[in-house]
Amino acid sequence: MFDVGYILNNILTTPLPSIRSINDLDVFIWGTVLIYLLIGAGIFFTVRLGFIQILQFPHMIKVMLKSRGGSKDGITSFQAFCTSLAARVGTGNMAGVALALYLGGPGAIFWMWLIALIGMATSFAESTLAQAYKKRDSHGNFRGGPAYYMQYGLGKRWMGIAFSLCLILAFGLIFNAVQANSIAVAFNVAFGVPDYVVGIILVTTTSLIIFGGIKTISRFAELVVPFMALVYLLVALYVCVINYAKLPSVFMQVIDSALGITQVGAGALGYAVGQALIEGIKRGLFSNEAGMGSAANAAATATPNPPHPASQGYVQMLGVFVDTMVICTATAALILLSQQLVPGSGLTSIALTQAALVEHIGQGGAIFIAIAILFFAFTSIVANYSYAESNLLFLKHDDKTGLLIFRFLVLAMVMFGALAKVKVVWTLANVSMGFMAIINIIALFMLSGVVVWLAKDYNNQRKQGLVPTFDKSKHPKLSKEVDPSAW
């Protein structure tokens, strides 16, 4: 069985580096701690759940096809899926992939694939727990996520508070600055629009949606996310078709860069593979968010169909697949099929993605990417806000004044992001996301027994030909911990 103690021992016995800046902290978290925790958690849940992301893939699709049902006046599983996908599908898919390829080489996309594949099991675990421990708020909406299962499943409110503070900082404030930054850069490249103008427009449109509440956010995501993802994939497919002869060599370039097959010299090989590994994991998590605990906040808002916590786990697991294996791969193909990926050139982030598509389809490519990132990043801003709002309510229930102040802080960070330097914004995002993921993964390990029981209960009912339905009385511990008004 996977040895969690061995992983934790390795982390605890690794000599601490000299941390003198935010950049040093970023390197330590991602270069040491999270490599162990993310891969460890992914393998741990993959094994304990019986390779669920592979063997149950057809059922995952089946559950998704039924996910529009189950809620007459609340939020459906599909709407919750779109909300989480709105947060996932953003700058990480376009700017983040470009940055990973620039810093880590083509092999970074291979490690993004791997972290997504094993991360699907982690996503199932956190989303299933979020559903099980969700609570109904004073407006009748469901709220939940890691902070809730830390308090009600582990009895550790202090842990939930620590997670909530990290999430509010990361998603409510810093990540929204990251999304706004990418939109501003893309529109400046494509149209020459000043950053402050983009910032004003984003602040205005964001305010119209976030003041509408969680149902407005989920309905907005349901309309926009499927459309924008489909259009982007069609453009990427067109580029692959017109460059079909290059596809085999590009694929081999990815594998070679990831595994160091043809690099000469042990030192060069270790550095190249290490860079690809670190950047792939870092950008992979930023994009698909598996194990971070963010998407679980959206998962908790749904009324699932079938009415069992594990069904939402299946739905959210598919979100990781779509985000990385489909959309991130599309971006990587656009870039690697072009001649624009030049180490040391300084052309990176969203500008690299734009330059790649310009090479393929002409100047209209820069305009298309600008519009695509507008939709991708803007929906991320909206979804990120909804995550932060749920955690703000966890800290202090129904504090209307505090919520109003927070909304204005979010809008201020959107404006800041449009005007800030990209490296500063990305580094802050990495660090805050890293702390959030560490807290959540520790909680997932501690609650892994509940995850396994819920998965087995769901699949046992399926084998009996029943519609899986959650009966909390079958698990005495859960029956005391879950909200009676939710289950």
Side-chain angles (χ1 to χ4, degrees):
M1 183 172 287
F2 192 73
D3 192 345
V4 180
Y6 175 78
I7 293 174
L8 295 177
N9 181 63
N10 271 271
I11 294 171
L12 294 174
T13 57
T14 300
L16 289 175
S18 176
I19 299 175
R20 299 178 181 177
S21 68
I22 189 79
N23 289 317
D24 292 339
L25 185 58
D26 178 21
V27 171
F28 172 64
I29 291 173
W30 288 97
T32 303
V33 179
L34 280 177
I35 284 182
Y36 286 106
L37 282 180
L38 287 173
I39 295 178
I43 296 174
F44 176 78
F45 282 106
T46 294
V47 173
R48 289 213 65 185
L49 294 171
F51 295 86
I52 191 170
Q53 68 271 54
I54 299 171
L55 300 180
Q56 300 293 337
F57 193 87
H59 181 69
M60 184 169 60
I61 301 296
K62 184 178 179 180
V63 174
M64 170 56 69
L65 294 176
K66 294 182 177 180
S67 62
R68 287 183 179 272
S71 179
K72 295 181 180 179
D73 54 8
I75 295 173
T76 66
S77 287
F78 184 74
Q79 288 175 326
F81 167 80
C82 288
T83 300
S84 65
L85 197 60
R88 286 187 174 113
V89 180
T91 56
N93 300 80
M94 303 176 78
V97 171
L99 191 61
L101 294 175
Y102 181 80
L103 296 176
I109 191 65
F110 174 88
W111 296 110
M112 289 181 76
W113 291 337
L114 182 62
I115 202 67
L117 181 63
I118 63 175
M120 288 171 71
T122 313
S123 181
F124 175 90
E126 62 189 359
S127 297
T128 298
L129 286 173
Q131 262 292 316
Y133 291 103
K134 66 186 179 182
K135 300 290 178 180
R136 196 182 290 273
D137 66 18
S138 59
H139 302 289
N141 300 316
F142 288 125
R143 300 278 185 178
Y148 292 78
Y149 56 68
M150 288 169 192
Q151 175 171 343
Y152 299 105
L154 294 175
K156 301 182 185 298
R157 179 168 172 79
W158 64 267
M159 194 175 188
I161 290 173
F163 176 87
S164 290
L165 291 173
C166 288
L167 185 142
I168 290 168
L169 177 64
F171 279 79
L173 301 175
I174 297 176
F175 277 10
N176 282 338
V178 170
Q179 308 294 348
N181 183 273
S182 291
I183 295 173
V185 171
F187 268 69
N188 186 267
V189 171
F191 306 110
V193 180
D195 294 343
Y196 74 89
V197 173
V198 175
I200 292 171
I201 294 172
L202 287 177
V203 167
T204 303
T205 50
T206 301
S207 64
L208 294 176
I209 297 175
I210 68 174
F211 280 91
I214 186 66
K215 289 184 179 179
T216 300
I217 291 170
S218 62
R219 287 164 187 161
F220 172 78
E222 181 184 25
L223 292 174
V224 175
V225 172
F227 171 77
M228 71 182 187
L230 179 61
V231 173
Y232 185 67
L233 290 175
L234 288 175
V235 171
L237 180 62
Y238 169 75
V239 170
C240 288
V241 169
I242 64 175
N243 292 280
Y244 72 93
K246 298 180 181 178
L247 289 175
S249 63
V250 166
F251 180 76
M252 288 308 301
Q253 185 184 10
V254 169
I255 302 301
D256 179 36
S257 176
L259 304 179
I261 296 173
T262 61
Q263 279 101 329
V264 179
L269 183 147
Y271 177 78
V273 173
Q275 282 297 105
L277 174 66
I278 291 171
E279 290 302 323
I281 291 177
K282 184 188 295 185
R283 300 305 160 196
L285 178 62
F286 182 89
S287 180
N288 67 55
E289 302 176 17
M292 197 191 309
S294 50
N297 291 272
T301 64
T303 302
N305 182 35
H308 193 287
S311 70
Q312 193 63 30
Y314 279 107
V315 171
Q316 297 301 133
M317 189 164 58
L318 184 61
V320 176
F321 180 87
V322 172
D323 173 89
T324 303
M325 310 300 282
V326 179
I327 300 177
C328 284
T329 300
T331 299
L334 293 178
I335 295 171
L336 295 176
L337 287 168
S338 75
Q339 304 298 315
Q340 300 301 317
L341 183 61
V342 181
S345 67
L347 182 62
T348 185
S349 194
I350 193 65
L352 173 57
T353 309
Q354 284 181 297
L357 194 55
V358 166
E359 180 181 319
H360 294 304
I361 66 174
Q363 193 56 40
I367 296 173
F368 174 80
I369 292 296
I371 295 172
I373 198 65
L374 172 64
F375 280 104
F376 282 173
F378 181 69
T379 53
S380 289
I381 290 172
V382 173
N384 289 346
Y385 166 79
S386 73
Y387 293 171
E389 182 184 278
S390 287
N391 283 269
L392 190 67
L393 293 174
F394 171 82
L395 294 175
K396 192 170 184 180
H397 301 290
D398 293 326
D399 182 358
K400 294 181 181 179
T401 302
L403 187 58
L404 183 64
I405 292 172
F406 178 69
R407 285 171 173 168
F408 282 110
L409 281 175
V410 169
L411 298 177
M413 284 301 290
V414 169
M415 191 68 195
F416 165 77
L419 302 175
K421 297 294 184 182
V422 66
K423 184 171 178 57
V424 174
V425 176
W426 278 100
T427 303
L428 287 171
N430 287 338
V431 172
S432 58
M433 177 176 66
F435 280 121
M436 203 174 101
I438 290 169
I439 298 169
N440 183 54
I441 291 171
I442 291 172
L444 291 179
F445 280 134
M446 296 173 74
L447 287 168
S448 60
V450 176
V451 176
V452 173
W453 185 87
L454 287 168
K456 287 182 177 179
D457 179 61
Y458 180 93
N459 288 315
N460 285 339
Q461 292 186 57
R462 282 179 55 213
K463 290 176 183 177
Q464 296 172 29
L466 304 172
V467 174
T469 303
F470 180 45
D471 180 1
K472 59 182 182 289
S473 66
K474 292 192 293 185
H475 194 294
K477 182 177 182 296
L478 269 176
S479 65
K480 298 175 183 178
E481 298 168 344
V482 302
D483 184 354
S485 68
W487 294 106

